Amino acid sequence: MIEHLVPRILAKLLIPFILLFGLYVQFHGDFGPGGGFQAGVIFAAGIILYALIYGLDRARSVVTPGLVSFLVALGLLIYAGVGVATMLLGAEFLNYGALDSHDPVHGQHLGILIIEFGVGTTVAAVMITIFYQFAGRLKITRELEADDEDDADEEQVTESPR
Amino acid sequence: MSIGDWEALINVALLGLLLVVTFGIIRLRNLFGVVMLAGIYSLLMAMVFTLLDAVDVAFTEAAVGAGVSTILSLGTLALIDSRREKIPFRFQFTPLLVALVTGGVLLWGMQDMPAVGAADAPNQVHVAPYYIQQTPVDIDVPNIVTAVLASYRGFDTLGEVTVIFTAGIGVMMLLSSMPVIGARRRRRRDDDGPEDDA
């Protein structure tokens, strides 16, 4: 955990807005620039910022690695599932028009919203996963080095009286 | 000055900055500095994309190129202990020649390309008019880029998401199953180092 006051307070203030902006980009992709990919990255950046400031352990207890790896698969399954659903409704794979039997345009809106959500979920989860893995290895490496230094110190202590 | 002149001026300034940053990346031997410059390069590219009216691409470049990849590069730097090996700058003739020839060929090839944003460019007269005409009728979302990516080219986007999924799974399998031996080995080498000198 970083002890400096300014980054900690700034992160605490910024993270809710980063996550909110991520959700805005996610669900506003039909109307302006953005979409699932950008939103996923922004959302993951919020979580990564939390992990950088408050430590990997606290981030992992908030967004557990098990949940993240579940979400990695879930997003892709949502996307592909929409395709399967449209096939079951009698249209081609990923032809969202079939999702609404009255108005194909509404079906398109619904389909785009759902698959963008799937894209965002997978992208955010993958970014968080990659960061967790890198940071986790760094943590293990540091701990091992610290252990070795302790061993070295003990050896010196035992050697010095001789 | 008209708006077009200003745009040209901003373009020249941005491309000049890109050139400066590129030479900085080539010359710098400090990997931390290189990662920071690469982030700056991505931000500059995002601005160039904005000027080209490719807002979605600019957004992605800023979020992925300047944001997440900088963090991941820094994470890698922390893992590999970059201060250890200092490779001095050496002038190498062959890579320079290859770069100059490739650049020259690209510039030569650019002579045949249509002007930026020309309405009669081949990519503007093929499927783009169809998308622009049919999006309000078929899909009715204001952002045509989203309509193309998510609906007309939905199958391609599914493939892209699968690529990201595979990348995540790959990193997960590689890094979580590999035993951590680097730390101890590196520490031992440190301990051996001074003895060799003595």
Side-chain angles (χ1 to χ4, degrees):
Chain A
M1 194 202 297
I2 290 181
E3 303 296 338
H4 300 298
L5 193 63
V6 174
R8 287 189 63 183
I9 301 296
L10 270 183
K12 199 174 257 181
L13 286 174
L14 275 176
I15 286 170
F17 289 102
I18 295 174
L19 299 184
L20 193 65
F21 184 59
L23 290 175
Y24 166 79
V25 172
Q26 170 77 55
F27 294 111
H28 205 256
D30 308 2
F31 302 97
F37 195 83
Q38 294 93 329
V41 172
I42 292 170
F43 203 85
I47 309 283
I48 290 173
L49 179 63
Y50 183 83
L52 285 176
I53 303 288
Y54 291 95
L56 187 62
D57 290 333
R58 282 181 71 173
R60 272 181 173 164
S61 62
V62 178
V63 187
T64 58
L67 174 74
V68 178
S69 24
F70 174 70
L71 290 177
V72 167
L74 181 73
L76 187 61
L77 279 176
I78 289 176
Y79 200 142
V82 171
V84 175
T86 56
M87 280 174 85
L88 290 177
L89 288 166
E92 298 95 339
F93 186 68
L94 290 175
N95 184 354
Y96 315 130
L99 290 176
D100 191 326
S101 52
H102 304 291
D103 188 355
V105 175
H106 283 175
Q108 291 280 353
H109 285 181
L110 191 64
I112 289 176
L113 203 67
I114 298 174
I115 65 116
E116 290 279 12
F117 182 70
V119 174
T121 308
T122 289
V123 169
V126 165
M127 296 298 162
I128 295 171
T129 299
I130 295 177
F131 177 77
Y132 274 3
Q133 294 292 343
F134 275 57
R137 273 194 92 71
L138 185 62
K139 198 166 164 338
I140 298 170
T141 314
R142 289 265 163 83
E143 280 168 5
L144 280 177
E145 282 181 355
D147 285 353
D148 282 5
E149 271 166 19
D150 289 348
D151 294 348
D153 290 346
E154 281 166 20
E155 280 167 24
Q156 281 173 2
V157 168
T158 48
E159 279 168 14
S160 53
R162 286 177 198 169
Chain B
M1 288 207 320
S2 70
I3 293 176
D5 290 342
W6 278 109
E7 199 177 315
L9 199 70
I10 297 171
N11 262 323
V12 168
L14 283 178
L15 292 177
L17 279 174
L18 278 179
L19 209 65
V20 172
V21 172
T22 311
F23 275 104
I25 291 174
I26 296 171
R27 297 290 310 201
L28 255 186
R29 295 294 99 186
N30 177 0
L31 282 179
F32 179 80
V34 169
V35 170
M36 289 296 125
L37 281 181
I40 294 172
Y41 190 95
S42 287
L43 277 182
L44 288 171
M45 273 318 286
M47 289 185 217
V48 173
F49 287 139
T50 314
L51 280 179
L52 289 170
D53 289 334
V55 208
D56 286 85
V57 185
F59 208 159
T60 315
E61 181 69 43
V64 180
V68 169
S69 35
T70 307
I71 289 184
L72 291 182
S73 307
L74 288 180
T76 318
L77 277 190
L79 277 175
I80 62 172
D81 197 3
S82 61
R83 290 156 299 169
R84 197 156 304 272
E85 282 185 48
K86 281 266 191 287
I87 302 165
F89 184 84
R90 277 188 302 130
F91 180 80
Q92 287 174 306
F93 183 70
T94 322
L96 182 69
L97 187 73
V98 170
L100 283 178
V101 168
T102 314
V105 168
L106 284 174
L107 281 176
W108 181 58
M110 264 173 62
Q111 305 295 318
D112 292 339
M113 280 179 69
V116 175
D120 57 344
N123 67 325
Q124 308 289 7
V125 294
H126 184 48
V127 287
Y130 176 83
Y131 290 148
I132 293 168
Q133 273 173 9
Q134 289 300 309
T135 296
V137 182
D138 289 347
I139 299 166
D140 194 27
V141 294
N143 188 357
I144 296 178
V145 176
T146 302
V148 173
L149 283 181
S151 186
Y152 289 118
R153 293 265 173 269
F155 196 58
D156 298 59
T157 311
L158 177 65
E160 281 168 29
V161 177
T162 314
V163 167
I164 295 166
F165 170 81
T166 317
I169 298 289
V171 169
M172 222 189 279
M173 290 174 79
L174 266 177
L175 287 188
S176 59
S177 61
M178 215 159 55
V180 182
I181 47 174
R184 281 176 186 279
R185 196 170 286 167
R186 203 160 69 198
R187 184 56 58 186
R188 296 243 170 78
R189 207 186 294 146
D190 281 0
D191 293 342
D192 294 347
E195 286 169 11
D196 290 344
D197 291 341

